[in-house]
Amino acid sequence: MIKQIQLIGLLILLSSSLLIAQQEVPYSSISKKTMEGFMDKRFGMFIHWGPVTLRGTEIGWSRNHGVSQSDYDNLYKKFDPVSFDADAWVKTARDAGMKYLTITAKHHDGFCLWPTAYSDYNIMNTPFKKDVVGALAKACKKYKIKFCIYYTVLDWYDRRYPLHNDGNTVPDPKADMQQFVQYMKNQLTELVTNYHPYMLWFDGNWEAPWTAAHGRDIYDFLRKLDPEVIINNRLGKGTHEVMSAATTGDYATPEQKVGGINMTDPWESCITLCTQWAWKPGDAMKSLQQCIRTLASTAGGNGNLLLNIGPMPDGRIEERQAARLREMGSWLKKYGASVYSTKGGPFLPDSVLAATRKGNKIYIHLFQKPAGPLKLPAVPGLRVKKAYFLQGDKVPFRLEQEQLILSLPQQLPDENDAVLVLEMDKNAESVPLIRK
Ligand code: FHN
């Protein structure tokens, strides 16, 4: 009898620990190889675009907030971006050094940039009548840029979704979430089978009608459509910033800031080049220095940067934004080896510097020139063989009481980010993080 009780107790203990173990890790099933390939890319283009650009206000959020609902929901009848050129957009991304491109196929306003069979509120019912998603997918293939799709889970336009506006908290009794989720599945089937996206960028998971169970249902549904499509962490109900037990999705998505360094969980910061996600005339735009340091700090944290632009209502990318992206591309032509396919660290990023590494090379992204020499803690177990600027002269160095002391020239070779290389005697990729 006692034996039986002990056995039952053991079984309960085992099953509960299994249950806890199940909940301790994010809900994600994608190959390590695919995620490593994604993280090697380091830099992508985010594009927020739709009929709202005719008003120059924020996509989704300005509906009933600055733009009346009837005005907003009828803009599509006038949306005719005759200068839209998918090749030009994709070449702009390529020339910026971006390796993937993510388009808002459907944002919270419910408008669809592809000829969906499941909603009339789509690009084919505008004067433009062209499949924007399909054109971008084709152009990305042509220019070897990975094509990715943004898709919102909240939809303030579709009456089957219970909330019809930002700020609504009383669900519409005539709504039907089960029908809405089926609508989502129908559209996601169109998007995945017709355009084969490399990655799906979900958003809008914070409202009450969306549950963790919906997120897992959609994640499982997508896995059946494409076992290797990368899915961000905005299907679950957990925080965007980091991966947690509440996460459903393959990587974390900190927003409008550089994420915290993380050498185990993949992450990507999405940040606007200007201040608004969608086109805004005269919007303030980040400087080249801000853009480069944001990219270097993201890579220094072992993450990717998804940099957002908002094309104009006529379909062109504003020239000053395109010029900024070209400048980033020029910088990456010189210093890309210190960003692409690197790991973050081993020195923790801060306002003075960030560090990346690949093989036996540690890249120091120097943002501020110290008054005297640059002093860094010695890298445990490794020895510096050579030190030099990635594009220039040797850098004299010495080791003094566990401190690496590097003599810097009066003028750094690049005022935005002077990349210094420490060639080590061994592979530096698994060195533990070092606090300076
Ligand atoms: O509400 C959206 C916002 O419009 C934009 O799409 C960003 C991009 O990450 N996501 C949501 C805000 O977190």
Side-chain angles (χ1 to χ4, degrees), residues 46 48 59 61 107-108 150 201 203 206 234 255 270 277:
F46 210 174
H48 280 66
I59 191 165
W61 297 97
H107 201 267
H108 312 331
Y150 168 111
W201 212 99
D203 202 11
W206 53 80
R234 298 197 181 191
E255 178 168 320
C270 56
W277 294 98

Side-chain angles (χ1 to χ4, degrees), residues 139-199:
C140 281
K141 192 169 182 175
K142 182 174 171 183
Y143 295 106
K144 297 183 176 42
I145 296 287
K146 291 294 188 184
F147 178 66
C148 308
I149 287 174
Y150 168 111
Y151 187 89
T152 180
V153 302
L154 73 79
D155 181 334
W156 291 321
Y157 179 87
D158 192 280
R159 308 305 292 180
R160 290 164 288 192
Y161 183 79
L163 303 178
H164 303 319
N165 184 31
D166 163 41
N168 274 10
T169 52
V170 181
D172 177 348
K174 295 194 286 301
D176 183 324
M177 202 55 193
Q178 196 174 350
Q179 282 184 14
F180 179 74
V181 170
Q182 186 53 54
Y183 165 53
M184 275 183 68
K185 288 179 175 177
N186 293 338
Q187 288 200 320
L188 289 168
T189 301
E190 287 180 321
L191 291 169
V192 173
T193 50
N194 297 341
Y195 306 117
H196 310 292
Y198 171 68
M199 175 261 279

